[in-house]
Amino acid sequence: MPNAATGNEFDYVVIGAGSAGCALVRNLSDRTGSKILLLEAGGSDERIEIQDPTKYFGLWGSDIDWKYETVPQEFANNRALRWPRGRVLGGTSSINGMVYLRGDRLDYDTWGYLGNYGWGFDEVFRTFTSMEGTSNGSSSGPLMPAVVVDQSPLSQIFIDACGELGINYNDNFNSGKLSGAGWNESTIYQGKRQSSYRAFLHPIIDRPTITIETNAIVQKLILNSSHRIEGITYIKDGKEHKVSIARELILSAGAVDSPRLLLLSGIGAPEELRSIGIKPVVELPEVGRNLVDHMLIGVAFGSASKIDGRNPFVTESCAFVGSNPGVVGSNVQISFVNEKNFVEGYEVPEHCFTVIPGIVRPQSRGWIKLRSSDPTVSPLIDPRYLSETADLDDFVSGIQISREIAKTKALSPWTTGEVAPGPGCSSDKQIRDYVRSVATTWFHPVGTCRMGIDSGAVVDPELRVQGIANLRIADASIMPTVVSCNTNAASTMIGWKAGELIANSKK
Ligand SMILES: Cc1cc2nc3c(=O)[nH]c(=O)nc-3n(C[C@H](O)[C@H](O)[C@H](O)COP(=O)(O)OP(=O)(O)OC[C@H]3O[C@@H](n4cnc5c(N)ncnc54)[C@H](O)[C@@H]3O)c2cc1C
């Protein structure tokens, strides 16, 4: 494999080998054969906790986690929440829960409605289809998401319980309609995690036009006086390296690090940059703004029977519901797992299951800012969780629906009773207090380099950063609004689509 530090010239440099970055490099390489350098701050993904789908909880807080943390959350009992992010080949797709849901037609048609041509549901549906493969050969992309086999019987009982409440069976969440209860697809292939790196790049690792430089921490983008990116600097083995860029630089460093790298390079709100000693180069005040994240909470029940041990920690099934009957589509995603989850601080018996309502169209918006001009210092992250009352209201409904699910004929024989928050937590006020003290991140931050056609947008619909000639962003940060389900599939699709956009603009 050629070494970037030897002075090779590259057509394209991509920063970040995560969900989006790996998909982008593969698609761009397949389409153009260009010389591409992929720089990744982390290293090898050869470890059992990544490959074995049941062991990923052990990766959070480990050496392959960026270990970010929010500032104390004013509306969530002043708790500072941990924000794991993958720092390894595959990025966060190497440490995530592997649920693979594309999103709802409404999610992408909203992007289209906002002026983002090419990003409506029908267009992104084609992108998903070309990126994914199926075991029956109906499509032949490299990523092989599928419903897990050998499901736990209790997951089926959850779906039956939802049916009793009129939450109808949805036989394919990835068709563009999320509402209903059904089976999640997962990025588990042949019994192992299929991260973006494993799907897109590992199979072509010997392709001579692709150079992957690991343990390479990009520090800064170098702009010339015409606002063109000339190169970047990165640190590897304690030494600084420079790489020049023939055609384009693409940031795929994720919703925290893409805006962070822009800010470190003087691209952002001028006053804020000056206040920490960074010379503003390009005025783009919304860099780091529009931060949105899903939250979730556990409602845990003791189990009357020993829980089947199949697929532990894999969220096999879930339901998408409206927090009230007038909701268009669904704004609460209720996951179901066969063990204790997201009920921090509560005593839970060994045999238990958790119903996990999550708010998937939150109204609260926050920001990411730099603390200092030092690239080694973690940024300030303030998602302003629960700052909008509507988010609390959605949680109250989600918890009430979760409790109804547990009371159904299908599920009640399994239940010895609710253990968290427990029957004592019944009034709206008590439930809100529970939410403020226990609800946590669903690990889905997006939106910090928002795509749009207005003057405040950070990137345009072709993912080009406003005011800079040869810089694009392709990762979760560009989502103008968050998709109403887990965000990995959408992030990966953004990378794959970016590969196509860049290849087309080269013609
Ligand atoms: C614990 C957890 C569980 C999750 N579970 C699910 C799930 O089950 N299903 C789902 O759909 N979503 C899940 N998500 C969310 C989903 O994985 C992310 O939305 C998605 O991976 C984001 O992709 P990305 O390409 O934007 O960023 P990432 O995948 O994070 O990629 C960014 C890459 O850039 C690298 N990088 C950053 N800064 C630099 C730098 N300065 N120099 C060089 N490289 C750099 C990083 O190391 C990383 O490899 C989960 C997330 C977490 C944290």
Side-chain angles (χ1 to χ4, degrees):
M1 195 189 294
N3 183 337
T6 58
N8 275 327
E9 270 267 316
F10 297 94
D11 298 314
Y12 299 98
V13 175
V14 179
I15 301 174
S19 301
C22 293
L24 187 165
V25 169
R26 173 64 184 271
N27 202 11
L28 182 60
S29 173
D30 283 356
R31 285 167 181 270
T32 64
S34 303
K35 281 185 78 178
I36 305 172
L37 170 65
L38 174 59
L39 294 166
E40 167 53 45
S44 160
D45 70 341
E46 293 283 354
R47 60 173 81 187
I48 184 73
E49 294 87 351
I50 294 179
Q51 311 308 337
D52 180 339
T54 68
K55 295 197 164 28
Y56 60 94
F57 273 51
L59 296 168
W60 307 352
S62 74
D63 60 312
I64 60 160
D65 176 2
W66 284 88
K67 299 193 209 48
Y68 290 129
E69 195 174 275
T70 70
V71 300
Q73 291 300 286
E74 184 182 349
F75 303 95
N77 281 3
N78 277 321
R79 290 174 297 137
L81 300 182
R82 287 198 306 158
W83 264 28
R85 301 272 95 200
R87 180 178 175 146
V88 61
L89 286 173
T92 306
S93 72
S94 288
I95 69 163
N96 73 9
M98 295 160 290
V99 171
Y100 186 86
L101 295 171
R102 291 172 174 174
D104 198 275
R105 171 177 283 278
L106 265 177
D107 295 328
Y108 299 104
D109 282 345
T110 300
W111 295 7
Y113 172 85
L114 292 171
N116 297 297
Y117 50 83
W119 293 89
F121 178 76
D122 292 335
E123 285 105 344
V124 304
F125 191 82
R126 278 194 289 280
T127 310
F128 278 117
T129 311
S130 71
M131 175 177 90
E132 297 165 11
T134 50
S135 53
N136 66 12
S138 58
S139 61
S140 58
L143 186 66
M144 300 291 288
V147 170
V148 289
V149 289
D150 196 22
Q151 295 134 348
S152 159
L154 204 52
S155 297
Q156 177 65 59
I157 290 170
F158 168 77
I159 294 173
D160 296 342
C162 289
E164 273 183 52
L165 294 180
I167 305 166
N168 292 332
Y169 180 57
N170 181 339
D171 66 359
N172 181 5
F173 282 141
N174 281 339
S175 66
K177 176 179 158 273
L178 287 173
S179 296
W183 300 103
N184 292 328
E185 291 194 8
S186 292
T187 45
I188 299 173
Y189 181 53
Q190 298 179 331
K192 291 187 177 164
R193 172 191 296 274
Q194 193 188 33
S195 71
S196 241
Y197 172 70
R198 288 282 154 169
F200 298 109
L201 296 182
H202 190 260
I204 56 155
I205 198 65
D206 293 327
R207 197 176 278 186
T209 48
I210 298 178
T211 302
I212 303 175
E213 188 87 314
T214 52
N215 301 307
I217 307 161
V218 177
Q219 307 254 288
K220 206 175 165 185
L221 324 183
I222 306 161
L223 284 94
N224 67 17
S225 54
S226 335
H227 291 178
R228 188 179 169 80
I229 305 283
E230 291 196 325
I232 47 111
T233 60
Y234 68 92
I235 301 285
K236 179 166 170 134
D237 299 329
K239 292 197 198 94
E240 186 178 278
H241 302 272
K242 284 198 178 123
V243 179
S244 53
I245 292 146
R247 298 185 73 94
E248 291 196 45
L249 174 68
I250 305 106
L251 275 180
S252 294
V256 177
D257 285 290
S258 284
R260 181 186 184 194
L261 281 167
L262 292 180
L263 295 169
L264 284 167
S265 311
I267 304 162
E271 275 319 304
E272 272 173 35
L273 293 172
R274 273 190 211 102
S275 72
I276 49 166
I278 294 177
K279 184 172 165 246
V281 180
V282 177
E283 181 171 353
L284 265 182
E286 288 204 32
V287 171
R289 302 294 205 276
N290 190 45
L291 170 62
V292 57
D293 188 15
H294 294 149
M295 295 189 88
L296 48 63
I297 196 162
V299 184
F301 299 86
S303 170
S305 312
K306 187 169 181 296
I307 300 270
D308 183 279
R310 269 172 268 190
N311 299 320
F313 301 107
V314 175
T315 314
E316 297 175 325
S317 58
C318 79
F320 288 88
V321 299
S323 59
N324 70 62
V327 168
V328 179
S330 45
N331 58 357
V332 176
Q333 180 180 350
I334 301 181
S335 300
F336 182 79
V337 292
N338 292 340
E339 63 277 313
K340 164 184 154 163
N341 244 319
F342 304 113
V343 287
E344 208 173 334
Y346 282 77
E347 280 287 313
V348 176
E350 187 192 345
H351 295 294
C352 67
F353 57 87
T354 320
V355 186
I356 308 171
I359 54 167
V360 288
R361 285 196 213 148
Q363 301 301 314
S364 304
R365 296 287 181 277
W367 44 257
I368 286 171
K369 294 180 188 170
L370 296 182
R371 280 174 216 269
S372 126
S373 58
D374 179 348
T376 64
V377 174
S378 289
L380 287 164
I381 299 173
D382 188 357
R384 293 179 51 75
Y385 287 126
L386 306 174
S387 54
E388 292 287 342
T389 315
D391 296 349
L392 274 170
D393 294 342
D394 285 354
F395 259 128
V396 171
S397 301
I399 288 173
Q400 283 161 346
I401 298 167
S402 302
R403 287 172 158 171
E404 292 304 313
I405 291 171
K407 281 188 205 144
T408 54
K409 275 211 297 268
L411 205 46
S412 56
W414 282 83
T415 315
T416 54
E418 183 183 307
V419 288
C425 176
S426 55
S427 68
D428 275 14
K429 177 177 179 314
Q430 286 167 324
I431 297 176
R432 282 163 187 254
D433 287 346
Y434 176 60
V435 171
R436 289 194 197 282
S437 57
V438 175
T440 189
T441 173
W442 202 342
F443 317 112
H444 296 161
V446 308
T448 46
C449 297
R450 174 177 70 81
M451 170 172 70
I453 55 170
D454 57 301
S455 55
V458 176
V459 298
D460 70 13
E462 299 213 329
L463 306 179
R464 295 179 198 277
V465 176
Q466 287 212 46
I468 303 179
N470 56 342
L471 176 62
R472 300 196 209 215
I473 304 178
D475 57 30
S477 72
I478 67 101
M479 293 189 204
T481 54
V482 65
V483 290
S484 38
C485 62
N486 317 61
T487 47
N488 186 48
S491 306
T492 313
M493 178 277 292
I494 289 166
W496 188 259
K497 188 169 168 77
E500 182 182 338
L501 289 170
I502 298 165
N504 287 346
S505 68
K506 185 177 176 244
K507 285 176 190 159

